[in-house]
Amino acid sequence: RSVERSERITLNDLNSFHEGDYVVHIDHGVGRFGGLVKNVVNGKVQEAIKLIYRDNDVLFVSIHGLHRISKYKSADAAPPKVHKLGTGTWQKLKSQTKSKVKDIAEDLIRLYAQRRVAEGFAFSPDSYLQKELESSFIYEETPDQLKALKAIKEDMEKKYPMDRLVCGDVGFGKTEVAVRAAFKAVADSKQVAVLVPTTILALQHYNTFLERLKNLPCNIDYISRLRTAKEVKDISER
């Protein structure tokens, strides 16, 4: 099953709702939005949200209870199953989901514990060559670049394997971070493989690495479907 997610709604969000839209009530499950209605309670007119469940059962939710309602969203195109009020189906589903989440959390904790005890290669602190590379950068590093580089270097110098994801928008300097991390490894006589999703990117990164590391003692090459079998074999052997 796809992972379903929901977003909390506010009074302003109600303007974008249409009758029939799927919503989720934290206590009653998936229903349909029936609009904003006015009810008389103890002689006073109060606004409420009308939710319609299976068999046309109706639930009125005070606008003060908006925090208990979420807009339904799913990666699937198929409509969700509308729940029946007064049954234990929704509570059972929530209980099963909590149990699954707990299992996933336990698996992750176990995985990270295994990684912490796994022996890795502790890279040396930055060499003078690393400083030479970084001083040749023609731009000023952004605060996020410096933060990412610091974290990566600290991870590389630890004795267990690094597990880190660098995330950033296009043009924010991720490649420079990769170049510096790669050279730090090369400076300790290790090989580095940079994997990219397209042939064009392979050539672009090859040229970038060549330019950035042109005056430093390392060998750079690339493999893609545009290289001949002989070239690929030669590169692999070297």
Side-chain angles (χ1 to χ4, degrees):
R1 293 175 58 83
S2 67
V3 177
E4 297 168 355
R5 66 186 182 90
S6 58
E7 296 175 355
R8 293 298 169 89
I9 61 175
T10 64
L11 277 173
N12 289 333
D13 295 328
L14 289 178
N15 296 324
S16 64
F17 274 46
H18 303 284
E19 289 194 22
D21 285 353
Y22 292 106
V23 295
V24 183
H25 191 288
I26 193 171
D27 295 321
H28 303 287
V30 179
R32 287 180 177 272
F33 179 69
L36 195 63
V37 298
K38 292 182 179 180
N39 292 326
V40 178
V41 180
N42 296 327
K44 295 182 179 180
V45 177
Q46 295 184 358
E47 285 188 314
I49 298 166
K50 180 181 179 181
L51 301 182
I52 304 170
Y53 285 84
R54 204 170 73 198
D55 299 333
N56 288 322
D57 289 345
V58 174
L59 175 71
F60 293 104
V61 181
S62 166
I63 57 172
H64 301 296
L66 274 177
H67 63 282
R68 307 193 70 77
I69 301 173
S70 303
K71 191 169 185 179
Y72 178 90
K73 286 193 176 183
S74 172
D76 291 338
K81 178 181 177 181
V82 175
H83 291 96
K84 172 75 175 172
L85 289 178
T87 67
T89 305
W90 174 244
Q91 298 302 328
K92 183 179 178 181
L93 179 60
K94 286 204 299 182
S95 178
Q96 290 173 343
T97 303
K98 286 179 181 178
S99 178
K100 288 289 185 183
V101 170
K102 183 179 178 181
D103 289 342
I104 292 171
E106 289 176 349
D107 287 342
L108 285 173
I109 291 170
R110 191 178 303 110
L111 174 63
Y112 286 124
Q114 291 171 350
R115 287 176 175 173
R116 277 301 177 104
V117 298
E119 284 293 325
F121 181 85
F123 289 93
S124 305
D126 286 359
S127 64
Y128 74 95
L129 289 173
Q130 185 79 27
K131 292 180 173 61
E132 188 176 315
L133 165 66
E134 298 185 5
S135 65
S136 68
F137 192 47
I138 62 173
Y139 305 103
E140 182 178 353
E141 295 91 343
T142 67
D144 284 339
Q145 268 184 313
L146 294 173
K147 183 179 177 182
L149 285 163
K150 182 176 182 294
I152 288 170
K153 288 177 180 180
E154 287 175 352
D155 278 358
M156 290 179 71
E157 292 172 16
K158 292 174 182 175
K159 63 181 181 181
Y160 49 84
M162 178 171 69
D163 179 23
R164 181 170 290 276
L165 172 69
V166 176
C167 183
D169 211 339
V170 175
F172 276 67
K174 297 186 299 296
T175 304
E176 177 64 19
V177 172
V179 168
R180 297 187 188 187
F183 186 72
K184 184 176 178 68
V186 169
D188 255 347
S189 300
K190 296 293 183 181
Q191 290 184 319
V192 176
V194 180
L195 306 181
V196 296
T198 68
T199 301
I200 293 175
L201 272 178
L203 184 57
Q204 286 179 350
H205 279 66
Y206 169 67
N207 289 329
T208 299
F209 273 68
L210 272 184
E211 174 61 27
R212 289 294 289 120
L213 303 172
K214 61 185 177 183
N215 297 320
L216 295 163
C218 56
N219 299 309
I220 306 166
D221 219 319
Y222 80 103
I223 290 174
S224 77
R225 61 184 177 83
L226 299 181
R227 306 303 292 262
T228 66
K230 184 177 182 301
E231 288 173 330
V232 171
K233 182 181 178 182
D234 177 59
I235 293 167
S236 300
E237 287 175 351
R238 286 191 287 115

